[in-house]
Amino acid sequence: MPIRQRYPRLPKAVEYAHIGWDLLILAAVIINLSLLLFDSLFLIGPINQAIAAITPGFHRFYDTAIHSRFIAIDLVFVSFFIADVLLGWAVAIAERRYHRWFFYPFVHWYDVLGCIPLSGFRWLRVLRVISLLHRLHRLRLIDVTRWSVYRFFAKYYDILLEELSDRIALRLLGNAQEQIMSSDSLTERVIERVIMPRKTQLIHEIAERLEETAGRTYQQNRTAIMIAIDDLVSRTLRESPEIQRLHRLPMGKTASSAMQASISSVAQRLVDEMAQGMHSPAFRQLVERTADTSFDSWLTVDDTSAKVTEQVLYDVLDMLKEQVRHQGWKDRYD
Protein backbone atom coordinates (compact mmCIF):
# COMPACT_ATOMS: atom_id res chain seq x y z
CA MET A 1 0.00 0.00 0.00
CA PRO A 2 1.69 3.23 -1.07
CA ILE A 3 2.41 5.95 1.45
CA ARG A 4 1.28 9.45 0.71
CA GLN A 5 0.95 12.65 2.68
CA ARG A 6 -2.35 13.38 4.27
CA TYR A 7 -3.18 16.97 3.46
CA PRO A 8 -1.68 18.12 0.13
CA ARG A 9 -3.84 15.86 -2.06
CA LEU A 10 -7.11 16.11 -0.16
CA PRO A 11 -10.00 18.26 -1.37
CA LYS A 12 -10.54 21.54 0.42
CA ALA A 13 -13.81 20.37 1.95
CA VAL A 14 -12.10 17.31 3.47
CA GLU A 15 -9.28 19.48 4.78
CA TYR A 16 -11.75 21.82 6.48
CA ALA A 17 -13.59 18.80 7.95
CA HIS A 18 -10.29 17.53 9.39
CA ILE A 19 -9.51 20.94 10.84
CA GLY A 20 -12.98 21.32 12.37
CA TRP A 21 -12.84 17.89 13.95
CA ASP A 22 -9.33 18.55 15.28
CA LEU A 23 -10.46 21.80 16.89
CA LEU A 24 -13.46 20.02 18.42
CA ILE A 25 -11.21 17.30 19.88
CA LEU A 26 -8.79 19.94 21.11
CA ALA A 27 -11.58 21.76 22.96
CA ALA A 28 -12.86 18.48 24.45
CA VAL A 29 -9.40 17.47 25.64
CA ILE A 30 -8.77 20.87 27.22
CA ILE A 31 -12.13 20.78 29.03
CA ASN A 32 -11.54 17.21 30.20
CA LEU A 33 -8.02 17.97 31.44
CA SER A 34 -9.26 21.08 33.21
CA LEU A 35 -11.90 19.00 34.99
CA LEU A 36 -9.33 16.36 35.90
CA LEU A 37 -7.00 18.99 37.35
CA PHE A 38 -9.71 20.81 39.26
CA ASP A 39 -11.20 17.57 40.62
CA SER A 40 -7.76 16.44 41.78
CA LEU A 41 -7.33 19.74 43.62
CA PHE A 42 -10.88 19.44 44.99
CA LEU A 43 -9.88 16.22 46.75
CA ILE A 44 -7.18 18.06 48.75
CA GLY A 45 -8.59 18.97 52.17
CA PRO A 46 -7.23 22.53 52.59
CA ILE A 47 -8.18 23.50 49.04
CA ASN A 48 -11.64 21.96 49.44
CA GLN A 49 -12.19 23.90 52.66
CA ALA A 50 -10.93 27.12 51.08
CA ILE A 51 -13.39 26.76 48.17
CA ALA A 52 -16.22 26.04 50.60
CA ALA A 53 -15.33 29.14 52.63
CA ILE A 54 -14.95 31.46 49.63
CA THR A 55 -17.80 30.24 47.40
CA PRO A 56 -20.10 27.88 49.33
CA GLY A 57 -22.72 27.88 46.57
CA PHE A 58 -20.24 26.82 43.89
CA HIS A 59 -18.81 24.24 46.31
CA ARG A 60 -22.22 22.63 46.85
CA PHE A 61 -22.99 22.71 43.11
CA TYR A 62 -19.67 21.15 42.13
CA ASP A 63 -19.81 18.57 44.91
CA THR A 64 -23.33 17.37 44.08
CA ALA A 65 -23.52 17.92 40.30
CA ILE A 66 -19.98 17.13 39.11
CA HIS A 67 -17.69 15.60 41.73
CA SER A 68 -20.16 12.94 42.83
CA ARG A 69 -20.74 11.99 39.17
CA PHE A 70 -17.23 12.59 37.93
CA ILE A 71 -16.67 9.02 36.74
CA ALA A 72 -19.85 9.12 34.63
CA ILE A 73 -18.85 12.51 33.20
CA ASP A 74 -15.36 11.22 32.42
CA LEU A 75 -16.85 8.17 30.69
CA VAL A 76 -18.75 10.54 28.39
CA PHE A 77 -15.42 12.10 27.38
CA VAL A 78 -13.88 8.63 27.08
CA SER A 79 -16.64 7.50 24.73
CA PHE A 80 -16.03 10.63 22.69
CA PHE A 81 -12.30 9.93 22.55
CA ILE A 82 -12.90 6.28 21.60
CA ALA A 83 -15.10 7.45 18.75
CA ASP A 84 -12.31 9.82 17.70
CA VAL A 85 -9.77 6.97 17.67
CA LEU A 86 -12.05 4.68 15.64
CA LEU A 87 -12.96 7.46 13.23
CA GLY A 88 -9.32 8.51 12.86
CA TRP A 89 -8.35 4.89 12.20
CA ALA A 90 -11.00 4.54 9.53
CA VAL A 91 -9.97 7.83 7.90
CA ALA A 92 -6.30 6.79 7.97
CA ILE A 93 -7.18 3.56 6.17
CA ALA A 94 -9.29 5.42 3.60
CA GLU A 95 -6.54 7.97 2.97
CA ARG A 96 -3.81 5.30 2.91
CA ARG A 97 -1.88 7.37 5.41
CA TYR A 98 0.30 4.52 6.72
CA HIS A 99 2.05 1.57 5.16
CA ARG A 100 -0.29 -0.95 6.80
CA TRP A 101 -3.86 -0.55 7.97
CA PHE A 102 -3.09 -1.65 11.54
CA PHE A 103 -0.32 0.94 12.10
CA TYR A 104 -2.68 3.65 13.37
CA PRO A 105 -3.12 2.50 17.02
CA PHE A 106 0.63 2.03 17.36
CA VAL A 107 1.44 5.46 15.95
CA HIS A 108 -1.28 7.08 18.10
CA TRP A 109 -0.63 4.97 21.20
CA TYR A 110 -1.20 7.94 23.49
CA ASP A 111 -4.72 8.36 22.09
CA VAL A 112 -5.50 4.69 22.71
CA LEU A 113 -4.08 4.59 26.24
CA GLY A 114 -5.68 7.93 27.08
CA CYS A 115 -9.08 6.33 26.56
CA ILE A 116 -8.54 4.08 29.58
CA PRO A 117 -10.52 5.69 32.46
CA LEU A 118 -7.82 5.26 35.07
CA SER A 119 -5.94 8.08 36.78
CA GLY A 120 -2.57 6.95 35.49
CA PHE A 121 -3.71 6.91 31.86
CA ARG A 122 -5.97 9.96 31.92
CA TRP A 123 -3.05 12.35 31.96
CA LEU A 124 -1.80 10.87 28.68
CA ARG A 125 -4.53 13.01 27.14
CA VAL A 126 -2.10 15.91 27.50
CA LEU A 127 -0.21 14.31 24.61
CA ARG A 128 -3.37 14.64 22.52
CA VAL A 129 -3.18 18.40 22.98
CA ILE A 130 0.46 18.40 21.87
CA SER A 131 -0.40 16.18 18.89
CA LEU A 132 -3.29 18.38 17.84
CA LEU A 133 -1.21 21.55 18.19
CA HIS A 134 1.48 19.95 16.05
CA ARG A 135 -1.14 19.06 13.44
CA LEU A 136 -2.49 22.62 13.39
CA HIS A 137 1.05 23.96 13.18
CA ARG A 138 1.77 21.68 10.25
CA LEU A 139 -1.31 23.06 8.50
CA ARG A 140 0.02 26.60 9.21
CA LEU A 141 -3.12 27.54 11.06
CA ILE A 142 -0.96 28.40 14.07
CA ASP A 143 2.75 29.05 14.56
CA VAL A 144 3.84 27.57 17.87
CA THR A 145 7.44 28.70 17.31
CA ARG A 146 6.31 32.25 18.10
CA TRP A 147 4.88 31.25 21.46
CA SER A 148 6.95 32.19 24.50
CA VAL A 149 6.09 28.84 26.11
CA TYR A 150 7.46 26.96 23.10
CA ARG A 151 10.62 29.07 23.01
CA PHE A 152 11.14 28.53 26.74
CA PHE A 153 10.90 24.73 26.53
CA ALA A 154 12.79 24.60 23.22
CA LYS A 155 15.66 26.58 24.74
CA TYR A 156 16.09 24.34 27.78
CA TYR A 157 15.52 21.18 25.73
CA ASP A 158 18.33 22.29 23.42
CA ILE A 159 20.58 23.01 26.41
CA LEU A 160 19.77 19.66 28.06
CA LEU A 161 20.34 17.74 24.81
CA GLU A 162 23.68 19.44 24.17
CA GLU A 163 24.89 18.86 27.73
CA LEU A 164 23.94 15.17 27.59
CA SER A 165 25.54 14.63 24.21
CA ASP A 166 28.70 16.45 25.35
CA ARG A 167 29.00 14.26 28.44
CA ILE A 168 28.61 11.13 26.32
CA ALA A 169 31.14 12.38 23.76
CA LEU A 170 33.67 13.23 26.49
CA ARG A 171 33.28 9.77 28.00
CA LEU A 172 33.79 8.08 24.63
CA LEU A 173 36.83 10.22 23.77
CA GLY A 174 38.32 9.58 27.21
CA ASN A 175 37.86 5.82 26.78
CA ALA A 176 39.53 6.05 23.38
CA GLN A 177 42.51 7.87 24.91
CA GLU A 178 42.83 5.20 27.58
CA GLN A 179 42.78 2.48 24.92
CA ILE A 180 45.46 4.28 22.92
CA MET A 181 47.81 4.71 25.85
CA SER A 182 47.27 1.19 27.21
CA SER A 183 47.75 -0.55 23.84
CA ASP A 184 51.25 -1.77 22.97
CA SER A 185 50.60 -2.54 19.32
CA LEU A 186 48.29 0.25 18.16
CA THR A 187 50.64 1.53 15.45
CA GLU A 188 51.28 -1.96 14.10
CA ARG A 189 47.55 -2.71 14.02
CA VAL A 190 46.83 0.60 12.23
CA ILE A 191 49.45 -0.24 9.60
CA GLU A 192 48.29 -3.85 9.23
CA ARG A 193 44.51 -3.26 9.17
CA VAL A 194 44.20 0.25 7.72
CA ILE A 195 47.22 1.18 5.62
CA MET A 196 48.48 -2.07 4.08
CA PRO A 197 45.08 -3.14 2.60
CA ARG A 198 45.05 0.24 0.81
CA LYS A 199 48.69 0.24 -0.21
CA THR A 200 48.00 0.26 -3.97
CA GLN A 201 45.46 3.06 -3.71
CA LEU A 202 47.79 5.13 -1.52
CA ILE A 203 50.71 4.75 -3.93
CA HIS A 204 48.49 5.70 -6.85
CA GLU A 205 47.21 8.72 -4.92
CA ILE A 206 50.78 9.80 -4.05
CA ALA A 207 51.78 9.65 -7.72
CA GLU A 208 48.72 11.64 -8.82
CA ARG A 209 49.23 14.29 -6.15
CA LEU A 210 52.93 14.64 -6.99
CA GLU A 211 52.18 14.95 -10.70
CA GLU A 212 49.42 17.49 -10.13
CA THR A 213 51.41 19.55 -7.61
CA ALA A 214 54.60 19.62 -9.68
CA GLY A 215 52.76 20.51 -12.88
CA ARG A 216 50.72 23.27 -11.28
CA THR A 217 53.75 24.72 -9.48
CA TYR A 218 55.78 24.77 -12.68
CA GLN A 219 53.07 26.49 -14.69
CA GLN A 220 52.61 29.15 -12.02
CA ASN A 221 56.36 29.85 -11.72
CA ARG A 222 57.56 29.10 -15.27
CA THR A 223 58.67 32.67 -16.03
CA ALA A 224 60.67 32.95 -12.80
CA ILE A 225 62.25 29.53 -13.43
CA MET A 226 63.33 30.51 -16.95
CA ILE A 227 64.85 33.76 -15.68
CA ALA A 228 66.68 31.87 -12.95
CA ILE A 229 68.07 29.37 -15.51
CA ASP A 230 69.26 32.20 -17.75
CA ASP A 231 70.93 33.97 -14.81
CA LEU A 232 72.58 30.72 -13.69
CA VAL A 233 74.00 30.02 -17.14
CA SER A 234 75.20 33.63 -17.51
CA ARG A 235 76.90 33.66 -14.10
CA THR A 236 78.52 30.28 -14.69
CA LEU A 237 79.96 31.37 -18.03
CA ARG A 238 81.19 34.67 -16.61
CA GLU A 239 83.03 32.90 -13.82
CA SER A 240 84.51 30.22 -16.09
CA PRO A 241 88.28 30.74 -16.78
CA GLU A 242 87.90 29.23 -20.25
CA ILE A 243 85.25 31.77 -21.21
CA GLN A 244 87.42 34.59 -19.82
CA ARG A 245 90.30 33.46 -22.05
CA LEU A 246 87.87 33.25 -24.96
CA HIS A 247 87.04 36.95 -24.47
CA ARG A 248 90.67 37.85 -25.29
CA LEU A 249 90.38 36.36 -28.75
CA PRO A 250 88.98 38.33 -31.69
CA MET A 251 85.17 37.96 -31.80
CA GLY A 252 85.46 36.18 -28.45
CA LYS A 253 82.68 38.12 -26.74
CA THR A 254 80.35 37.50 -29.67
CA ALA A 255 81.05 33.79 -29.53
CA SER A 256 80.62 33.83 -25.76
CA SER A 257 77.22 35.55 -26.04
CA ALA A 258 76.09 33.06 -28.68
CA MET A 259 77.24 30.17 -26.49
CA GLN A 260 75.42 31.63 -23.48
CA ALA A 261 72.15 32.01 -25.46
CA SER A 262 72.48 28.49 -26.86
CA ILE A 263 73.20 26.86 -23.49
CA SER A 264 70.39 28.86 -21.80
CA SER A 265 67.93 27.83 -24.53
CA VAL A 266 68.92 24.18 -24.22
CA ALA A 267 68.58 24.27 -20.42
CA GLN A 268 65.18 25.96 -20.59
CA ARG A 269 63.96 23.46 -23.18
CA LEU A 270 65.25 20.60 -21.02
CA VAL A 271 63.30 21.88 -18.02
CA ASP A 272 60.19 22.28 -20.20
CA GLU A 273 60.54 18.72 -21.46
CA MET A 274 60.93 17.45 -17.90
CA ALA A 275 57.81 19.34 -16.76
CA GLN A 276 55.78 17.93 -19.65
CA GLY A 277 57.14 14.48 -18.98
CA MET A 278 55.62 14.57 -15.48
CA HIS A 279 52.22 14.05 -17.11
CA SER A 280 53.32 10.98 -19.01
CA PRO A 281 52.43 7.40 -18.01
CA ALA A 282 56.15 6.56 -17.84
CA PHE A 283 56.78 9.20 -15.15
CA ARG A 284 53.78 8.02 -13.14
CA GLN A 285 54.98 4.43 -13.32
CA LEU A 286 58.44 5.58 -12.18
CA VAL A 287 56.97 7.40 -9.18
CA GLU A 288 54.75 4.44 -8.31
CA ARG A 289 57.69 2.01 -8.51
CA THR A 290 59.78 4.31 -6.32
CA ALA A 291 56.95 4.69 -3.79
CA ASP A 292 56.30 0.95 -3.81
CA THR A 293 59.97 0.21 -3.19
CA SER A 294 60.22 2.61 -0.26
CA PHE A 295 56.69 2.11 1.12
CA ASP A 296 57.64 -0.68 3.52
CA SER A 297 60.60 1.30 4.85
CA TRP A 298 58.34 4.30 5.46
CA LEU A 299 56.12 2.08 7.59
CA THR A 300 58.90 0.59 9.67
CA VAL A 301 57.84 0.91 13.31
CA ASP A 302 60.13 1.22 16.28
CA ASP A 303 59.48 2.28 19.85
CA THR A 304 60.02 5.96 19.06
CA SER A 305 57.70 6.10 16.04
CA ALA A 306 55.02 4.10 17.90
CA LYS A 307 55.10 6.54 20.82
CA VAL A 308 54.94 9.49 18.44
CA THR A 309 51.91 8.04 16.63
CA GLU A 310 50.11 7.29 19.88
CA GLN A 311 50.88 10.75 21.25
CA VAL A 312 49.58 12.39 18.07
CA LEU A 313 46.32 10.43 18.30
CA TYR A 314 46.04 11.22 22.01
CA ASP A 315 46.55 14.95 21.41
CA VAL A 316 44.02 14.98 18.58
CA LEU A 317 41.41 13.38 20.85
CA ASP A 318 42.34 15.83 23.61
CA MET A 319 41.77 18.72 21.22
CA LEU A 320 38.37 17.27 20.32
CA LYS A 321 37.53 17.04 24.02
CA GLU A 322 38.37 20.72 24.45
CA GLN A 323 36.06 21.55 21.57
CA VAL A 324 33.28 19.43 23.05
CA ARG A 325 33.71 21.07 26.47
CA HIS A 326 32.89 24.43 24.95
CA GLN A 327 29.26 25.10 25.80
CA GLY A 328 27.89 26.31 22.49
CA TRP A 329 24.46 27.02 23.96
CA LYS A 330 25.96 29.93 25.90
CA ASP A 331 26.90 31.54 22.57
CA ARG A 332 23.44 30.95 21.12
CA TYR A 333 21.50 32.19 24.15
CA ASP A 334 23.91 34.86 25.37
Side-chain angles (χ1 to χ4, degrees), residues 42 99 119 131 151 159 189 215 223 234 243 272 279 294 314:
F42 191 80
H99 187 64
S119 58
S131 174
R151 290 198 296 267
I159 293 173
R189 285 187 284 119
T223 303
S234 177
I243 298 300
D272 263 338
H279 299 283
S294 57
Y314 186 92

Side-chain angles (χ1 to χ4, degrees), residues 170-310:
L170 289 173
R171 176 63 64 85
L172 293 175
L173 292 174
N175 291 339
Q177 287 179 313
E178 292 178 2
Q179 292 293 328
I180 289 173
M181 300 309 294
S182 62
S183 176
D184 297 331
S185 59
L186 176 64
T187 305
E188 290 85 348
R189 285 187 284 119
V190 169
I191 293 174
E192 180 182 354
R193 299 182 185 180
V194 179
I195 297 178
M196 292 306 294
R198 298 168 178 82
K199 177 180 177 180
T200 304
Q201 294 91 328
L202 289 173
I203 292 175
H204 184 70
E205 184 69 17
I206 290 171
E208 284 190 349
R209 293 293 180 89
L210 180 61
E211 176 185 337
E212 179 183 354
T213 303
R216 184 172 61 250
T217 303
Y218 178 73
Q219 292 299 327
Q220 293 174 351
N221 301 277
R222 184 179 183 278
T223 303
I225 292 173
M226 295 305 171
I227 293 174
I229 292 173
D230 189 65
D231 291 342
L232 178 63
V233 172
S234 177
R235 186 174 66 254
T236 302
L237 292 179
R238 282 198 309 268
E239 296 174 356
S240 173
E242 290 79 5
I243 298 300
Q244 291 176 0
R245 287 194 293 269
L246 180 63
H247 286 172
R248 301 189 186 100
L249 299 176
M251 304 294 290
K253 291 185 177 181
T254 303
S256 175
S257 298
M259 184 181 301
Q260 176 183 339
S262 178
I263 294 174
S264 179
S265 177
V266 170
Q268 291 174 352
R269 183 174 298 178
L270 177 63
V271 172
D272 263 338
E273 290 293 334
M274 289 177 60
Q276 293 177 4
M278 290 180 182
H279 299 283
S280 65
F283 178 79
R284 179 175 295 182
Q285 291 176 3
L286 175 62
V287 173
E288 289 182 354
R289 286 197 300 269
T290 304
D292 185 42
T293 303
S294 57
F295 197 81
D296 294 334
S297 63
W298 292 346
L299 299 179
T300 301
V301 179
D302 53 22
D303 293 339
T304 303
S305 61
K307 289 180 180 179
V308 170
T309 303
E310 293 170 0

Side-chain angles (χ1 to χ4, degrees), residues 94-164:
E95 294 178 359
R96 298 181 179 180
R97 198 183 307 167
Y98 302 111
H99 187 64
R100 290 289 184 268
W101 65 271
F102 53 85
F103 278 14
Y104 183 87
F106 297 99
V107 176
H108 298 265
W109 57 270
Y110 46 86
D111 290 346
V112 176
L113 295 180
C115 294
I116 300 175
L118 296 177
S119 58
F121 293 102
R122 285 170 177 164
W123 292 106
L124 288 175
R125 297 167 193 174
V126 176
L127 298 178
R128 294 176 66 96
V129 177
I130 299 174
S131 174
L132 292 171
L133 290 176
H134 173 70
R135 195 181 307 172
L136 295 174
H137 175 78
R138 186 180 59 188
L139 292 173
R140 298 182 180 178
L141 295 177
I142 59 174
D143 187 2
V144 297
T145 59
R146 296 179 179 270
W147 297 0
S148 58
V149 175
Y150 173 85
R151 290 198 296 267
F152 175 81
F153 283 104
K155 172 184 176 180
Y156 288 100
Y157 174 77
D158 185 36
I159 293 173
L160 176 63
L161 194 64
E162 181 175 337
E163 289 293 331
L164 289 175

